[in-house]
Amino acid sequence: MENNLPKNYDPRAFEDRIYEAWESSGAFTPKIDKTQKPFTIMMPPPNITGQLHMGHALDQSLQDVMTRFKRMQGYCTLWLPGTDHASIATEVKILDKIKAEEGKTKEDLGREEFLKRAWDWKKQYGGRIDTQIRKLGSSCDWSRERFTMDEGLNKAVVEHFCRLYEKGLIYKGSRLINWCPVCGSALSDIEVEHVDKNGKYWYFRYPGADGGEGITVATSRPETMFSDVAIAVNPDDERYKHLVGKTVILPLVGREIPIIADPYPDPEKGTGAVKITPSADPNDFEVGLRHGLPVIECIDESAHMMETAGKYAGMDRFECRKAWVADLDAAGYLVKTEDMVIPTGECYRCHTVVEPRISEQWFVKMKPIAEPALKIAETGELNFVPDRFRKIYDHWLEEIRDWCISRQLWWGHRIPAYYCEDCGEMVVAREEPHTCPKCGGHKFRQEEDVLDTWFSSQLWPFSTLGWPEKTEDLEYFFPTTTLVTGYDIIFFWVARMAFASVDEMKCSPFKDVLIHGLVRDAQGRKMSKSLGNGIDPLDVIDQYGADALRFMLLSGIAPGSDIRYSNDKVESARNFANKLWNASRFAIMNLKNEDGSFKPIAGEDTARLMPEDRWMLSVINDSLADITANMEKYEYALAAGKIYELIWNQFCDWYIELAKGRLYGDDEKQKETTRFVLVKALKALLKLLHPFMPFITEEIWSFLPREEGAKDFLMHESWPVYDPALDYAEDVATLELAMDAIKAVRNIRAEAGAAPSKKLGVVLLAGETERKRLEAAESYLLNLANLHSVSFASGKEEVPEETMSAALPGVEIYVPLDELLDYEAEYARLTKERDRLTTEVSRQEAKLANQNFVSRAPEKVISNEREKLANYKDMLEKVLSRLPLVEAKLKR
RNA sequence: GGGCUGUUAGCUCAGCUGGUUAGAGCGCCUGCGUCACAUGCAGGAGGUCGUAGGUUCGAGUCCUGUACAGCCCACCA
């Protein structure tokens, strides 16, 4: 191994290698330890057809940051990965492929051959996304990986189905369901997306059967008229009262249908009269039931017109619409048309307009199952982060209707219902029955339909742990701790896992649900295939590294809200990684000898520490509680920001700069101490950053000296905790004052236009405490402000007249002008400072003169304000006394 | 129709339970090839915190109205 990190930060050089080392050593696999607390996350299983996208990258980063954090905190941590069979998506994808390659259709292949092909496809491509997830650094336990159609999960699905059936919560029936003519399957309510489309109302006159006036109705779907079975009017609608009970003729069709009174029609809408089409509209279906109306279908499974549509039979539904409207118009039945925005249902997969159809399907009775799921959210057993998403969950469960779970597909869990070939009797059973309970027959035919994909994924939190068997894993890791997912998936999955788990396991499947938003493009648009604006995470990883991508995703998010992706953000995360890389390189360079052995490092002897050492250790130590609290509350962006600040603005900008003087000096003892602090600080920082940037931190770690009893990997080290022994308030104050003074001198130098390389001398006039601190900090000033001398004046009279100056609370800083030679700049600076301080002083005075404030505000706040005022006054006074001197010089 | 979110520097966003001079990254301006890093260093400019009221000693932060942007839910012909 090399002695030090390579000069350039190149994540490609080590990310894969490190992942491989972790995985092959079993670093992600927890050893069940009853004395430890478990921490469990179930990975939302990506579709096997899926390609990694930015949404996954965010989802994975969140899960990994919490898994790594909890693991370091000492929890027995399981993050269980897996994939979903994604019934429709996969079936469509495979069929498309076969069609393209062999020209064969689903029917050509037959069920058995198709399934064989599907499994082959799964074997060949199904693991693709796993490889991609590894690139992100996800520390999930691949030895426990599951697939929603593997043997164990199959068993779980069948078991759950049978139990629900036995409880009377699953039934089969003919209902109006959402039908996707392209997918050729029923859909559940949430698989239908509502889109507003520009369309029309067509007003048609239905002439009276008795030759009377008839009635005019508006419709947005004229092609369904062949299925009309009545015209409904509101019983309170005076316009139509006299027509109720009469019949009208379906134009051109000639069928006679009744005019009925029903509360459903809204007199304000359209003409107030509604055509009733039970086979094509849920409301109409209900009306039909109330009035005992027949159901007539006119559109088939592929959205073509049926025989009932007469001469239009065989036409596509939308072609028929055109022809039919033209014919009605020609015949004089079209009264008028009106442009209108029509709410339309689309298939969430293929965006085909969904056709409501009467069809025999399997349903889950939802009310009794939904109620206990609502309860766990109410009691806090299930907790949403952010909390507002609970409302969405509640609302959906409160309004829930029965769940259509059967799909007319082949790829999926076949419904465990069997029909006796002899008498047709249906048996729902865990295995194919031998004997028909009704007729004693032995031949059975299994239900053709498969289950909704989500029927299996709802069991994911416990089926993956072995349920329905009572396994050790299930016992120990269930219920899980946190579920991480996007808000778009709350209904599809989160709510369903909740009710399935409450039903089978009698508890919530997880304590917290962490909801995140979508990753959008730089313009704020949703990343989508159709827009072609998607960014491939793998390309980003290749260019900037997984650590940079993760850090960008994790630091750019407010909980629950969307995030905009931009290359600039990843680039700045990469720059941060590069910064850490080089700081570490600096440290390691100073830690090792030529031959790679470590130079002597001071032990834990605090007496030897210098103020800057104590400051560094104290600053890190002080922020631990905050950072940890942020991590516990899923506030990763806040934690990341603090860690970034510590590494860049404290460790790199100040500590390393201060360390240089000592490391390049001759004092061996000083060097040993500096090395000690460098290592101690860097190690703590690497631990803090590790959950966010696992690769670079692990890589750097491997170059640092190992302590006795150290773990194999940084990922197994302990999360840092606050140490009261490292609280050095006085040293922190000293360093902070020194930093302010250094900045002030740098500022004077820049404003005066003096070269950075030019050494300056400064005179300090300071109060007692400040002077002590500054004396302790003299070497820092010399080095970091590039000075040749620092001298302390005991009073104004000792300060040279011609200087540029700066005022800090309790300190005046003077740089003699003969070293700077720029009165104008000094005058401008002083004037500006005078104005600023005058404003501040009057603001503070007004505040403190306010009786209300003084009498009501807490004592601490008031004394704070008083102190501020005193500081401002002090500083202002100094400025005011300097001003005339400089002015005089200017005039000369 | 119901519900939710956002509106803070040119851009992307922080700002926790109301209390230092409202912050960061990127961009911009001025210097700097200094031996960890130019993927960098030092310094700097830039904000009436959408708008109108209210509560309070004190409001970016709480309340109400309002405008704009966006999202979700919903069986309106």
Coordinates of all heavy atoms in Angstrom, one line a residue, chain A residues 201 218 266 269 274 283 558 569 578-579 582 585 648 664 747 850 852-853 856 868 872, chain B residues 4-5 12 14 19-21 25 36-37 39-41 43-45 57 73 75-77:
Chain A
Y201 N -69.3 18.8 -24.4 CA -70.7 18.3 -24.1 C -71.4 18.3 -25.4 O -71.5 19.3 -26.1 CB -71.4 19.2 -23.1 CG -71.1 19.0 -21.7 CD1 -71.7 19.8 -20.7 CD2 -70.1 18.0 -21.3 CE1 -71.4 19.6 -19.4 CE2 -69.9 17.9 -19.9 CZ -70.5 18.7 -19.0 OH -70.2 18.5 -17.7
A218 N -77.3 16.2 -22.0 CA -75.9 16.4 -22.4 C -75.0 15.2 -22.1 O -75.3 14.6 -21.1 CB -75.3 17.7 -21.7
D266 N -78.3 16.8 -11.0 CA -78.2 18.2 -10.4 C -78.9 19.1 -11.4 O -78.4 19.2 -12.6 CB -76.7 18.5 -10.3 CG -76.5 20.0 -9.8 OD1 -77.5 20.7 -9.7 OD2 -75.4 20.3 -9.5
K269 N -76.8 21.4 -13.6 CA -75.8 21.0 -14.6 C -76.4 20.5 -15.9 O -77.5 19.9 -15.9 CB -75.1 19.8 -14.0 CG -74.2 20.2 -12.9 CD -72.7 19.7 -13.1 CE -71.8 20.5 -12.2 NZ -71.9 20.1 -10.8
V274 N -80.2 13.5 -17.1 CA -79.0 12.7 -17.3 C -79.4 11.4 -17.9 O -80.3 10.7 -17.5 CB -78.3 12.4 -16.0 CG1 -77.0 11.7 -16.2 CG2 -78.1 13.7 -15.2
N283 N -71.7 6.3 -11.2 CA -73.0 6.9 -10.7 C -74.2 6.3 -11.3 O -75.2 5.9 -10.6 CB -73.0 8.4 -11.0 CG -72.0 9.1 -10.2 OD1 -71.9 9.0 -9.0 ND2 -71.1 9.9 -10.9
A558 N -35.2 19.7 2.2 CA -36.1 20.0 3.4 C -37.0 18.7 3.4 O -37.5 18.3 2.4 CB -36.8 21.2 3.2
K569 N -24.5 21.7 -8.1 CA -24.6 21.2 -6.7 C -23.7 20.0 -6.4 O -23.1 19.9 -5.4 CB -26.1 20.9 -6.3 CG -27.0 22.1 -6.2 CD -28.3 21.7 -5.6 CE -29.4 22.7 -5.9 NZ -30.7 22.1 -5.5
N578 N -13.1 16.7 -2.3 CA -11.7 17.0 -2.6 C -10.9 17.8 -1.5 O -9.8 17.5 -1.2 CB -11.7 17.8 -3.9 CG -10.3 18.1 -4.4 OD1 -9.5 17.2 -4.7 ND2 -9.9 19.4 -4.4
K579 N -11.7 18.7 -0.9 CA -11.1 19.4 0.2 C -10.7 18.5 1.3 O -9.6 18.6 1.9 CB -12.1 20.5 0.7 CG -11.6 21.4 1.7 CD -10.6 22.4 1.1 CE -10.0 23.3 2.2 NZ -9.1 24.3 1.6
N582 N -7.6 16.4 0.5 CA -6.4 17.0 0.5 C -6.0 17.4 2.0 O -4.8 17.4 2.3 CB -6.4 18.3 -0.3 CG -6.2 17.9 -1.8 OD1 -5.1 17.5 -2.2 ND2 -7.2 18.0 -2.6
R585 N -4.6 14.3 3.2 CA -3.3 14.0 2.6 C -2.3 14.8 3.4 O -1.2 14.3 3.6 CB -3.4 14.5 1.1 CG -2.4 13.7 0.2 CD -2.9 13.8 -1.2 NE -2.7 15.2 -1.7 CZ -1.6 15.7 -2.1 NH1 -0.5 14.9 -2.1 NH2 -1.5 16.9 -2.5
W648 N -14.6 22.1 6.8 CA -14.0 23.1 5.9 C -13.5 24.4 6.6 O -12.4 24.8 6.6 CB -14.9 23.5 4.7 CG -14.3 24.1 3.5 CD1 -13.3 25.0 3.6 CD2 -14.5 23.8 2.2 NE1 -12.9 25.4 2.3 CE2 -13.6 24.6 1.4 CE3 -15.3 22.9 1.5 CZ2 -13.6 24.5 0.0 CZ3 -15.3 22.8 0.1 CH2 -14.4 23.7 -0.6
Y664 N 6.3 22.5 10.9 CA 7.4 22.8 10.1 C 8.5 23.4 11.0 O 9.6 23.8 10.6 CB 7.1 23.8 9.0 CG 6.1 23.3 8.0 CD1 5.3 24.2 7.3 CD2 6.0 21.9 7.7 CE1 4.4 23.7 6.4 CE2 5.1 21.4 6.8 CZ 4.3 22.3 6.1 OH 3.4 21.8 5.2
N747 N -8.4 42.3 6.5 CA -9.3 43.3 5.9 C -8.6 44.6 5.7 O -8.7 45.2 4.6 CB -10.5 43.5 6.8 CG -11.5 44.5 6.2 OD1 -11.4 45.7 6.6 ND2 -12.3 44.1 5.3
N850 N -37.0 51.7 25.9 CA -38.4 51.3 25.9 C -38.8 50.6 27.2 O -38.3 49.5 27.5 CB -38.6 50.3 24.7 CG -40.0 49.8 24.6 OD1 -40.8 49.9 25.5 ND2 -40.4 49.4 23.4
N852 N -41.4 49.2 28.2 CA -42.1 47.9 28.0 C -41.1 46.8 27.9 O -41.2 45.7 28.5 CB -43.0 47.9 26.8 CG -44.3 48.5 27.1 OD1 -44.8 48.4 28.2 ND2 -44.8 49.3 26.1
F853 N -40.1 47.1 27.1 CA -39.1 46.0 26.9 C -38.3 45.7 28.2 O -38.2 44.6 28.6 CB -38.1 46.5 25.8 CG -36.9 45.6 25.7 CD1 -37.1 44.3 25.2 CD2 -35.6 46.0 26.0 CE1 -36.0 43.5 25.0 CE2 -34.5 45.2 25.9 CZ -34.7 43.9 25.4
R856 N -40.5 43.9 30.7 CA -41.1 42.6 30.4 C -40.2 41.5 29.8 O -40.4 40.3 30.0 CB -42.2 42.8 29.3 CG -43.3 43.6 29.8 CD -44.6 43.5 29.0 NE -45.4 44.6 29.2 CZ -46.6 44.7 28.7 NH1 -47.1 43.8 28.0 NH2 -47.4 45.8 29.0
K868 N -24.4 44.6 24.4 CA -24.3 45.0 23.0 C -24.1 46.5 22.8 O -23.2 47.0 22.1 CB -25.5 44.5 22.2 CG -25.3 43.2 21.5 CD -26.6 42.5 21.2 CE -27.5 43.3 20.3 NZ -28.8 42.6 20.1
Y872 N -21.0 48.5 21.2 CA -21.1 49.4 20.1 C -20.6 50.8 20.4 O -19.9 51.5 19.7 CB -22.6 49.5 19.7 CG -23.1 48.3 19.0 CD1 -24.3 47.8 19.3 CD2 -22.3 47.7 18.0 CE1 -24.8 46.7 18.6 CE2 -22.8 46.5 17.3 CZ -24.1 46.0 17.7 OH -24.5 44.9 17.0
Chain B
rC4 P -55.2 22.2 5.0 OP1 -55.0 22.2 6.4 OP2 -55.8 23.4 4.3 O5' -53.9 21.8 4.2 C5' -53.2 20.6 4.6 C4' -52.1 20.3 3.6 O4' -52.6 20.2 2.3 C3' -51.0 21.4 3.5 O3' -50.1 21.4 4.6 C2' -50.4 21.1 2.2 O2' -49.5 19.9 2.3 C1' -51.6 20.6 1.4 N1 -52.1 21.7 0.5 C2 -51.5 22.1 -0.6 O2 -50.5 21.4 -0.9 N3 -51.9 23.1 -1.4 C4 -53.0 23.7 -1.0 N4 -53.4 24.7 -1.8 C5 -53.7 23.4 0.2 C6 -53.3 22.4 0.9
rU5 P -49.4 22.8 5.0 OP1 -48.7 22.6 6.3 OP2 -50.4 23.9 4.9 O5' -48.4 23.0 3.9 C5' -47.3 22.1 3.7 C4' -46.6 22.4 2.4 O4' -47.5 22.3 1.3 C3' -46.0 23.8 2.3 O3' -44.8 23.9 3.1 C2' -45.8 23.9 0.8 O2' -44.6 23.2 0.4 C1' -47.0 23.2 0.3 N1 -48.1 24.2 -0.1 C2 -47.9 24.9 -1.3 O2 -47.0 24.8 -2.0 N3 -49.0 25.8 -1.5 C4 -50.1 26.0 -0.8 O4 -50.9 26.8 -1.1 C5 -50.1 25.2 0.5 C6 -49.2 24.4 0.7
rU12 P -34.2 29.7 -8.6 OP1 -35.2 28.9 -9.4 OP2 -34.7 30.8 -7.7 O5' -33.3 28.7 -7.8 C5' -32.9 27.4 -8.3 C4' -32.2 26.6 -7.3 O4' -31.0 27.3 -6.9 C3' -33.0 26.4 -6.0 O3' -33.9 25.4 -6.0 C2' -31.8 26.1 -5.0 O2' -31.4 24.8 -5.1 C1' -30.7 27.0 -5.5 N1 -30.6 28.3 -4.8 C2 -29.9 28.3 -3.6 O2 -29.3 27.3 -3.2 N3 -29.9 29.5 -2.9 C4 -30.5 30.7 -3.3 O4 -30.4 31.7 -2.6 C5 -31.3 30.6 -4.5 C6 -31.3 29.4 -5.2
rA14 P -35.5 24.8 1.9 OP1 -36.3 23.6 2.0 OP2 -36.1 26.2 1.9 O5' -34.4 24.8 3.1 C5' -33.9 26.0 3.6 C4' -32.8 25.6 4.5 O4' -31.6 26.4 4.2 C3' -33.1 26.0 6.0 O3' -33.7 25.0 6.7 C2' -31.7 26.4 6.5 O2' -30.9 25.3 6.9 C1' -31.1 27.1 5.3 N9 -31.5 28.5 5.2 C8 -32.4 29.1 4.3 N7 -32.5 30.4 4.4 C5 -31.7 30.7 5.5 C6 -31.4 31.9 6.1 N6 -32.0 33.1 5.8 N1 -30.6 31.9 7.2 C2 -30.0 30.7 7.5 N3 -30.2 29.5 7.0 C4 -31.1 29.6 6.0
rG19 P -36.1 34.1 17.7 OP1 -36.8 34.5 16.6 OP2 -34.9 33.3 17.6 O5' -35.7 35.4 18.6 C5' -35.3 36.6 17.8 C4' -34.5 37.5 18.8 O4' -35.4 37.9 19.9 C3' -33.4 36.6 19.4 O3' -32.1 37.0 19.0 C2' -33.6 36.8 21.0 O2' -32.5 37.3 21.6 C1' -34.7 37.8 21.1 N9 -35.7 37.5 22.1 C8 -36.1 36.4 22.7 N7 -37.0 36.5 23.6 C5 -37.2 37.8 23.7 C6 -38.1 38.6 24.5 O6 -38.9 38.2 25.3 N1 -38.0 40.0 24.2 C2 -37.2 40.5 23.2 N2 -37.2 41.8 23.1 N3 -36.4 39.8 22.5 C4 -36.4 38.5 22.8
rU20 P -31.5 38.1 18.2 OP1 -30.7 38.7 19.4 OP2 -32.3 38.8 17.3 O5' -30.4 37.5 17.2 C5' -29.5 38.4 16.5 C4' -28.9 39.3 17.5 O4' -28.1 38.5 18.4 C3' -28.0 40.4 17.0 O3' -28.3 41.6 17.5 C2' -26.6 40.0 17.3 O2' -25.8 41.1 17.8 C1' -26.8 39.0 18.5 N1 -25.8 38.0 18.5 C2 -24.6 38.2 19.1 O2 -24.3 39.3 19.6 N3 -23.7 37.2 19.0 C4 -23.9 36.0 18.5 O4 -23.0 35.1 18.5 C5 -25.2 35.8 17.9 C6 -26.1 36.8 17.9
rU21 P -28.9 42.7 16.7 OP1 -28.5 44.0 17.3 OP2 -30.4 42.4 16.6 O5' -28.3 42.6 15.2 C5' -28.9 43.4 14.2 C4' -27.9 43.4 13.0 O4' -26.6 43.9 13.5 C3' -27.7 42.1 12.3 O3' -27.9 42.3 10.9 C2' -26.2 41.8 12.5 O2' -25.6 41.2 11.4 C1' -25.6 43.2 12.8 N1 -24.4 43.2 13.6 C2 -23.2 43.5 12.9 O2 -23.2 43.8 11.7 N3 -22.1 43.5 13.7 C4 -22.0 43.2 15.0 O4 -20.9 43.3 15.5 C5 -23.2 42.9 15.6 C6 -24.3 42.8 14.9
rG25 P -20.3 29.5 1.6 OP1 -18.9 29.0 1.9 OP2 -20.5 30.9 1.3 O5' -20.9 28.6 0.5 C5' -20.7 27.1 0.5 C4' -21.5 26.5 -0.7 O4' -22.9 26.8 -0.5 C3' -21.2 27.2 -2.0 O3' -20.0 26.6 -2.6 C2' -22.4 26.8 -2.8 O2' -22.4 25.5 -3.2 C1' -23.5 27.0 -1.7 N9 -24.0 28.4 -1.7 C8 -23.7 29.4 -0.9 N7 -24.3 30.5 -1.1 C5 -25.2 30.2 -2.2 C6 -26.1 31.0 -2.9 O6 -26.4 32.2 -2.7 N1 -26.7 30.3 -4.0 C2 -26.4 29.0 -4.3 N2 -27.1 28.5 -5.3 N3 -25.6 28.2 -3.6 C4 -25.0 28.9 -2.6
rA36 P 1.8 22.3 2.0 OP1 1.3 23.7 2.3 OP2 2.8 21.7 2.9 O5' 0.6 21.3 1.8 C5' 0.8 20.0 1.3 C4' -0.5 19.4 0.8 O4' -1.4 19.4 1.9 C3' -1.2 20.3 -0.2 O3' -0.7 20.0 -1.5 C2' -2.7 19.9 0.0 O2' -2.9 18.6 -0.6 C1' -2.7 19.7 1.5 N9 -3.1 20.9 2.2 C8 -2.4 21.9 2.7 N7 -3.0 22.8 3.4 C5 -4.4 22.4 3.2 C6 -5.6 23.0 3.7 N6 -5.7 24.1 4.4 N1 -6.7 22.3 3.4 C2 -6.6 21.2 2.7 N3 -5.5 20.5 2.2 C4 -4.4 21.2 2.5
rC37 P -0.8 21.1 -2.6 OP1 -0.1 20.6 -3.8 OP2 -0.3 22.4 -2.1 O5' -2.3 21.3 -3.0 C5' -3.0 20.2 -3.7 C4' -4.5 20.5 -3.6 O4' -4.9 20.6 -2.2 C3' -5.0 21.8 -4.2 O3' -5.2 21.6 -5.6 C2' -6.3 22.0 -3.5 O2' -7.4 21.2 -4.0 C1' -6.0 21.5 -2.1 N1 -5.7 22.6 -1.1 C2 -6.7 23.2 -0.4 O2 -7.9 22.7 -0.6 N3 -6.5 24.2 0.5 C4 -5.2 24.6 0.6 N4 -5.0 25.6 1.5 C5 -4.1 24.0 -0.1 C6 -4.4 23.0 -1.0
rU39 P -9.3 23.7 -10.5 OP1 -8.4 22.6 -10.7 OP2 -10.1 24.2 -11.7 O5' -10.3 23.4 -9.3 C5' -11.7 23.8 -9.3 C4' -12.3 23.2 -8.1 O4' -12.6 21.8 -8.4 C3' -11.3 23.3 -7.0 O3' -11.5 24.3 -6.0 C2' -11.0 21.8 -6.6 O2' -11.1 21.5 -5.2 C1' -12.0 21.0 -7.5 N1 -11.3 19.9 -8.2 C2 -11.6 18.6 -7.7 O2 -12.3 18.4 -6.7 N3 -11.0 17.6 -8.4 C4 -10.2 17.7 -9.6 O4 -9.8 16.7 -10.1 C5 -10.0 19.0 -10.0 C6 -10.5 20.0 -9.3
rG40 P -12.6 24.6 -5.0 OP1 -13.3 23.4 -4.6 OP2 -13.2 25.8 -5.5 O5' -11.7 25.0 -3.7 C5' -10.7 24.1 -3.2 C4' -9.4 24.8 -3.0 O4' -8.8 25.1 -4.3 C3' -9.4 26.1 -2.3 O3' -9.6 26.0 -0.9 C2' -8.0 26.7 -2.6 O2' -7.0 26.0 -1.9 C1' -7.9 26.2 -4.1 N9 -8.2 27.3 -5.0 C8 -9.3 27.4 -5.9 N7 -9.3 28.5 -6.6 C5 -8.3 29.2 -6.1 C6 -7.8 30.6 -6.4 O6 -8.3 31.3 -7.2 N1 -6.8 30.9 -5.6 C2 -6.2 30.2 -4.7 N2 -5.1 30.7 -4.0 N3 -6.5 28.9 -4.4 C4 -7.6 28.6 -5.1
rC41 P -10.5 27.1 -0.1 OP1 -10.8 26.5 1.2 OP2 -11.5 27.7 -0.9 O5' -9.3 28.2 0.1 C5' -8.2 27.9 0.8 C4' -7.3 29.1 0.9 O4' -6.8 29.4 -0.5 C3' -8.0 30.4 1.3 O3' -8.2 30.5 2.6 C2' -7.0 31.5 0.7 O2' -5.8 31.5 1.5 C1' -6.6 30.8 -0.6 N1 -7.5 31.3 -1.7 C2 -7.2 32.5 -2.3 O2 -6.3 33.2 -1.9 N3 -8.0 33.0 -3.3 C4 -9.1 32.2 -3.7 N4 -9.8 32.7 -4.7 C5 -9.4 31.0 -3.1 C6 -8.6 30.5 -2.1
rG43 P -10.7 36.4 4.8 OP1 -10.8 36.8 6.3 OP2 -11.6 35.4 4.3 O5' -11.0 37.7 4.0 C5' -10.4 39.0 4.3 C4' -10.6 40.0 3.3 O4' -10.2 39.5 2.0 C3' -12.0 40.4 3.0 O3' -12.6 41.3 4.0 C2' -11.9 41.0 1.6 O2' -11.3 42.3 1.7 C1' -10.9 40.1 1.0 N9 -11.7 39.0 0.2 C8 -11.9 37.7 0.6 N7 -12.6 37.1 -0.3 C5 -12.9 38.0 -1.3 C6 -13.7 37.9 -2.5 O6 -14.2 37.0 -2.9 N1 -13.7 39.2 -3.2 C2 -13.1 40.3 -2.7 N2 -13.3 41.4 -3.5 N3 -12.4 40.4 -1.6 C4 -12.3 39.2 -1.0
rG44 P -14.1 41.2 4.3 OP1 -14.4 42.2 5.4 OP2 -14.6 39.8 4.5 O5' -14.8 41.8 3.0 C5' -14.6 43.1 2.6 C4' -15.2 43.3 1.2 O4' -14.7 42.3 0.3 C3' -16.7 43.2 1.0 O3' -17.3 44.4 1.5 C2' -16.8 43.1 -0.5 O2' -16.6 44.4 -1.1 C1' -15.6 42.2 -0.8 N9 -16.0 40.8 -1.0 C8 -15.8 39.8 -0.2 N7 -16.2 38.6 -0.6 C5 -16.9 39.0 -1.8 C6 -17.6 38.1 -2.7 O6 -17.8 36.9 -2.7 N1 -18.0 38.9 -3.8 C2 -17.8 40.2 -4.0 N2 -18.4 40.8 -5.1 N3 -17.2 41.0 -3.1 C4 -16.7 40.3 -2.1
rA45 P -18.9 44.4 1.9 OP1 -19.2 45.6 2.7 OP2 -19.2 43.0 2.4 O5' -19.6 44.5 0.5 C5' -19.4 45.7 -0.3 C4' -20.1 45.5 -1.6 O4' -19.5 44.4 -2.3 C3' -21.6 45.2 -1.6 O3' -22.3 46.4 -1.5 C2' -21.8 44.5 -2.9 O2' -21.9 45.4 -4.0 C1' -20.4 43.7 -3.1 N9 -20.6 42.3 -2.6 C8 -20.1 41.8 -1.4 N7 -20.3 40.5 -1.2 C5 -20.9 40.2 -2.4 C6 -21.4 38.9 -2.9 N6 -21.3 37.8 -2.3 N1 -21.9 38.9 -4.2 C2 -22.0 40.1 -4.9 N3 -21.6 41.3 -4.5 C4 -21.1 41.3 -3.3
rC57 P -46.6 44.0 25.2 OP1 -46.4 43.8 26.6 OP2 -47.7 44.8 24.6 O5' -45.2 44.6 24.6 C5' -44.9 46.0 24.7 C4' -43.5 46.3 24.4 O4' -42.6 45.7 25.4 C3' -43.0 45.7 23.1 O3' -43.3 46.5 22.0 C2' -41.5 45.5 23.3 O2' -40.9 46.8 23.1 C1' -41.5 45.2 24.8 N1 -41.4 43.7 25.0 C2 -40.3 43.0 24.7 O2 -39.3 43.6 24.2 N3 -40.2 41.7 24.9 C4 -41.3 41.0 25.4 N4 -41.2 39.7 25.6 C5 -42.5 41.7 25.7 C6 -42.5 43.0 25.5
rC73 P -53.8 11.9 -6.4 OP1 -53.5 10.5 -6.4 OP2 -53.9 12.7 -7.6 O5' -55.1 12.1 -5.5 C5' -55.3 11.4 -4.3 C4' -56.4 12.0 -3.6 O4' -56.3 13.4 -3.4 C3' -57.8 11.9 -4.3 O3' -58.3 10.6 -4.1 C2' -58.6 12.9 -3.6 O2' -59.0 12.5 -2.3 C1' -57.6 14.0 -3.4 N1 -57.6 15.0 -4.5 C2 -58.7 15.9 -4.5 O2 -59.5 15.9 -3.6 N3 -58.8 16.9 -5.5 C4 -57.8 16.9 -6.5 N4 -58.0 17.8 -7.5 C5 -56.8 15.9 -6.5 C6 -56.7 15.0 -5.5
rC75 P -63.8 9.5 -7.1 OP1 -64.4 8.3 -6.6 OP2 -62.4 9.5 -7.6 O5' -64.7 10.2 -8.2 C5' -64.6 9.7 -9.5 C4' -66.0 9.7 -10.1 O4' -66.8 8.6 -9.5 C3' -66.8 10.9 -9.8 O3' -66.6 11.9 -10.8 C2' -68.3 10.4 -9.9 O2' -68.7 10.3 -11.2 C1' -68.1 9.0 -9.3 N1 -68.4 9.0 -7.8 C2 -69.7 9.3 -7.3 O2 -70.5 9.7 -8.1 N3 -69.9 9.2 -6.0 C4 -69.0 8.8 -5.2 N4 -69.3 8.7 -3.9 C5 -67.7 8.4 -5.7 C6 -67.5 8.5 -7.0
rC76 P -66.2 13.4 -10.4 OP1 -64.8 13.3 -9.9 OP2 -67.2 14.1 -9.5 O5' -66.3 14.0 -11.8 C5' -67.2 15.1 -12.0 C4' -68.5 14.6 -12.4 O4' -69.4 14.8 -11.2 C3' -69.2 15.4 -13.5 O3' -69.1 14.7 -14.7 C2' -70.6 15.5 -13.0 O2' -71.4 14.4 -13.3 C1' -70.4 15.6 -11.5 N1 -70.1 17.0 -11.1 C2 -71.1 17.9 -10.8 O2 -72.3 17.6 -10.8 N3 -70.8 19.2 -10.4 C4 -69.5 19.6 -10.4 N4 -69.2 20.8 -10.1 C5 -68.4 18.7 -10.7 C6 -68.8 17.4 -11.1
rA77 P -68.5 15.6 -16.0 OP1 -67.2 15.2 -16.2 OP2 -68.9 16.9 -15.6 O5' -69.4 15.1 -17.2 C5' -70.8 15.4 -17.3 C4' -71.5 14.0 -17.2 O4' -72.6 14.2 -16.3 C3' -72.0 13.5 -18.5 O3' -72.0 12.1 -18.5 C2' -73.4 14.1 -18.5 O2' -74.3 13.3 -19.2 C1' -73.8 14.1 -17.0 N9 -74.6 15.3 -16.6 C8 -74.8 16.5 -17.3 N7 -75.6 17.3 -16.7 C5 -75.9 16.7 -15.6 C6 -76.7 17.1 -14.5 N6 -77.4 18.2 -14.4 N1 -76.8 16.2 -13.5 C2 -76.2 15.0 -13.5 N3 -75.4 14.6 -14.5 C4 -75.3 15.4 -15.5

